[in-house]
Amino acid sequence: MECKVRWTGDGASFIAETESNHAVVMDGAPEAGGRNLAPRPMELLLAGTGGCTAFDVVLILKKARHAVTGCEVSLQAERADVEPRVFTRIHFHFRVTGRQLKPEAVARAIELSKDKYCSASIMLGKTAEITHDFEIVEA
């Protein structure tokens, strides 16, 4: 996998160009010279982790032929007070929507993502305590 990140020459704004030919703009906080025009890099790291695990959960449930119709994950993260300001705790709250979803199936999909498939959360688990919970919403 490859990615190129280029400073725009303005404040703390950067553009990342991914191997799949997509662009993402990032900006720093105003106190760091940014203009608050885009997400911070650490926000994108957290968002990417949420996307990675939600993707897994949906795919696992669909492959097992469960009637999943929606999946939302809210992440709450804490960071170290000193540099490097790594994530130290991340809580994932899944809200999975579907028809007659069994709690055991949803819990298993989340566990498989956490322990085996979600590369992002497994990497972040090296510095952060990661916890999960979920709710099921009947469609």
Side-chain angles (χ1 to χ4, degrees), residues 25-56:
V25 177
M26 298 173 278
D27 197 12
E31 58 271 14
R35 296 190 345 210
N36 201 29
L37 298 175
R40 315 288 184 262
M42 289 297 284
E43 290 174 327
L44 288 176
L45 181 59
L46 191 62
T49 302
C52 183
T53 192
F55 177 89
D56 290 341

Side-chain angles (χ1 to χ4, degrees), residues 1-2 23-24 43 45 48 51 62 64 74 80 92 94 98 119-120:
M1 184 180 296
E2 294 181 16
V24 177
E43 290 174 327
L45 181 59
K62 282 185 166 216
S74 301
F92 295 72
F94 291 84
S119 305

Side-chain angles (χ1 to χ4, degrees), residues 14-138:
F14 294 83
I15 297 174
E17 297 174 25
T18 67
E19 183 176 77
S20 59
N21 294 314
H22 296 280
V24 177
V25 177
M26 298 173 278
D27 197 12
E31 58 271 14
R35 296 190 345 210
N36 201 29
L37 298 175
R40 315 288 184 262
M42 289 297 284
E43 290 174 327
L44 288 176
L45 181 59
L46 191 62
T49 302
C52 183
T53 192
F55 177 89
D56 290 341
V57 168
V58 168
L59 191 62
I60 291 164
L61 289 171
K62 282 185 166 216
K63 279 188 174 183
R65 294 195 165 94
H66 294 283
V68 60
T69 59
C71 181
E72 176 180 301
V73 60
S74 301
L75 295 88
Q76 293 181 332
E78 296 176 18
R79 294 176 65 188
D81 293 330
V82 295
E83 302 294 337
R85 297 201 52 231
V86 298
F87 289 119
T88 56
R89 296 181 61 169
I90 305 172
H91 179 72
F92 295 72
H93 176 74
F94 291 84
R95 188 167 197 252
V96 183
T97 304
R99 289 181 299 284
Q100 299 178 343
L101 294 174
K102 294 182 169 75
E104 313 82 54
V106 173
R108 182 175 183 276
I110 292 169
E111 287 298 313
L112 282 170
S113 176
K114 177 181 77 94
D115 295 337
K116 185 173 183 180
Y117 295 112
C118 182
S119 305
S121 65
I122 291 168
M123 279 191 294
L124 290 176
K126 304 295 182 185
T127 64
E129 172 193 344
I130 296 183
T131 56
H132 299 80
D133 66 11
F134 68 92
E135 63 182 291
I136 296 173
V137 178
E138 185 65 27

